[in-house]
PDB file of all heavy atoms in Angstrom:
ATOM      1  N   ALA A 324     -15.067  -4.913   8.373  1.00 82.00           N
ATOM      2  CA  ALA A 324     -14.698  -3.983   9.444  1.00 82.00           C
ATOM      3  C   ALA A 324     -14.362  -4.712  10.737  1.00 82.00           C
ATOM      4  O   ALA A 324     -13.380  -4.390  11.410  1.00 82.00           O
ATOM      5  CB  ALA A 324     -15.823  -2.990   9.663  1.00 82.00           C
ATOM      6  N   SER A 325     -15.147  -5.710  11.095  1.00 83.00           N
ATOM      7  CA  SER A 325     -14.891  -6.427  12.352  1.00 83.00           C
ATOM      8  C   SER A 325     -13.608  -7.250  12.273  1.00 83.00           C
ATOM      9  O   SER A 325     -12.830  -7.302  13.243  1.00 83.00           O
ATOM     10  CB  SER A 325     -16.080  -7.323  12.678  1.00 83.00           C
ATOM     11  OG  SER A 325     -16.263  -8.312  11.674  1.00 83.00           O
ATOM     12  N   GLN A 326     -13.377  -7.903  11.139  1.00 84.00           N
ATOM     13  CA  GLN A 326     -12.133  -8.668  10.973  1.00 84.00           C
ATOM     14  C   GLN A 326     -10.921  -7.765  11.022  1.00 84.00           C
ATOM     15  O   GLN A 326      -9.878  -8.121  11.593  1.00 84.00           O
ATOM     16  CB  GLN A 326     -12.167  -9.442   9.662  1.00 84.00           C
ATOM     17  CG  GLN A 326     -13.181 -10.572   9.629  1.00 84.00           C
ATOM     18  CD  GLN A 326     -13.314 -11.174   8.242  1.00 84.00           C
ATOM     19  OE1 GLN A 326     -12.984 -10.537   7.233  1.00 84.00           O
ATOM     20  NE2 GLN A 326     -13.828 -12.401   8.167  1.00 84.00           N
ATOM     21  N   PHE A 327     -11.037  -6.578  10.443  1.00 83.00           N
ATOM     22  CA  PHE A 327      -9.920  -5.631  10.442  1.00 83.00           C
ATOM     23  C   PHE A 327      -9.611  -5.165  11.857  1.00 83.00           C
ATOM     24  O   PHE A 327      -8.435  -5.012  12.232  1.00 83.00           O
ATOM     25  CB  PHE A 327     -10.255  -4.441   9.552  1.00 83.00           C
ATOM     26  CG  PHE A 327      -9.148  -3.426   9.452  1.00 83.00           C
ATOM     27  CD1 PHE A 327      -8.112  -3.582   8.534  1.00 83.00           C
ATOM     28  CD2 PHE A 327      -9.141  -2.318  10.283  1.00 83.00           C
ATOM     29  CE1 PHE A 327      -7.086  -2.646   8.454  1.00 83.00           C
ATOM     30  CE2 PHE A 327      -8.117  -1.377  10.205  1.00 83.00           C
ATOM     31  CZ  PHE A 327      -7.100  -1.544   9.291  1.00 83.00           C
ATOM     32  N   ASN A 328     -10.617  -4.930  12.663  1.00 82.00           N
ATOM     33  CA  ASN A 328     -10.418  -4.431  14.020  1.00 82.00           C
ATOM     34  C   ASN A 328      -9.947  -5.512  14.985  1.00 82.00           C
ATOM     35  O   ASN A 328      -9.150  -5.242  15.886  1.00 82.00           O
ATOM     36  CB  ASN A 328     -11.703  -3.793  14.549  1.00 82.00           C
ATOM     37  CG  ASN A 328     -12.063  -2.515  13.794  1.00 82.00           C
ATOM     38  OD1 ASN A 328     -11.189  -1.765  13.380  1.00 82.00           O
ATOM     39  ND2 ASN A 328     -13.347  -2.286  13.607  1.00 82.00           N
ATOM     40  N   LEU A 329     -10.414  -6.746  14.796  1.00 81.00           N
ATOM     41  CA  LEU A 329     -10.134  -7.814  15.775  1.00 81.00           C
ATOM     42  C   LEU A 329      -8.948  -8.691  15.378  1.00 81.00           C
ATOM     43  O   LEU A 329      -8.222  -9.169  16.257  1.00 81.00           O
ATOM     44  CB  LEU A 329     -11.386  -8.678  15.969  1.00 81.00           C
ATOM     45  CG  LEU A 329     -12.612  -7.954  16.529  1.00 81.00           C
ATOM     46  CD1 LEU A 329     -13.797  -8.898  16.601  1.00 81.00           C
ATOM     47  CD2 LEU A 329     -12.320  -7.358  17.903  1.00 81.00           C
ATOM     48  N   HIS A 330      -8.784  -8.939  14.071  1.00 82.00           N
ATOM     49  CA  HIS A 330      -7.721  -9.849  13.607  1.00 82.00           C
ATOM     50  C   HIS A 330      -6.997  -9.201  12.416  1.00 82.00           C
ATOM     51  O   HIS A 330      -7.050  -9.697  11.299  1.00 82.00           O
ATOM     52  CB  HIS A 330      -8.311 -11.202  13.202  1.00 82.00           C
ATOM     53  CG  HIS A 330      -9.156 -11.832  14.266  1.00 82.00           C
ATOM     54  ND1 HIS A 330      -8.617 -12.452  15.372  1.00 82.00           N
ATOM     55  CD2 HIS A 330     -10.501 -11.913  14.391  1.00 82.00           C
ATOM     56  CE1 HIS A 330      -9.594 -12.916  16.136  1.00 82.00           C
ATOM     57  NE2 HIS A 330     -10.746 -12.606  15.575  1.00 82.00           N
ATOM     58  N   ARG A 331      -6.337  -8.104  12.698  1.00 80.00           N
ATOM     59  CA  ARG A 331      -5.790  -7.285  11.615  1.00 80.00           C
ATOM     60  C   ARG A 331      -4.645  -7.975  10.882  1.00 80.00           C
ATOM     61  O   ARG A 331      -4.562  -7.899   9.669  1.00 80.00           O
ATOM     62  CB  ARG A 331      -5.310  -5.952  12.180  1.00 80.00           C
ATOM     63  CG  ARG A 331      -4.810  -4.966  11.138  1.00 80.00           C
ATOM     64  CD  ARG A 331      -4.616  -3.596  11.754  1.00 80.00           C
ATOM     65  NE  ARG A 331      -5.864  -3.105  12.338  1.00 80.00           N
ATOM     66  CZ  ARG A 331      -5.975  -1.916  12.961  1.00 80.00           C
ATOM     67  NH1 ARG A 331      -4.912  -1.147  13.093  1.00 80.00           N
ATOM     68  NH2 ARG A 331      -7.137  -1.535  13.463  1.00 80.00           N
TER      69      ARG A 331
END
Side-chain angles (χ1 to χ4, degrees):
S325 62
Q326 291 172 339
F327 182 84
N328 292 326
L329 298 176
H330 307 283
R331 184 169 302 179

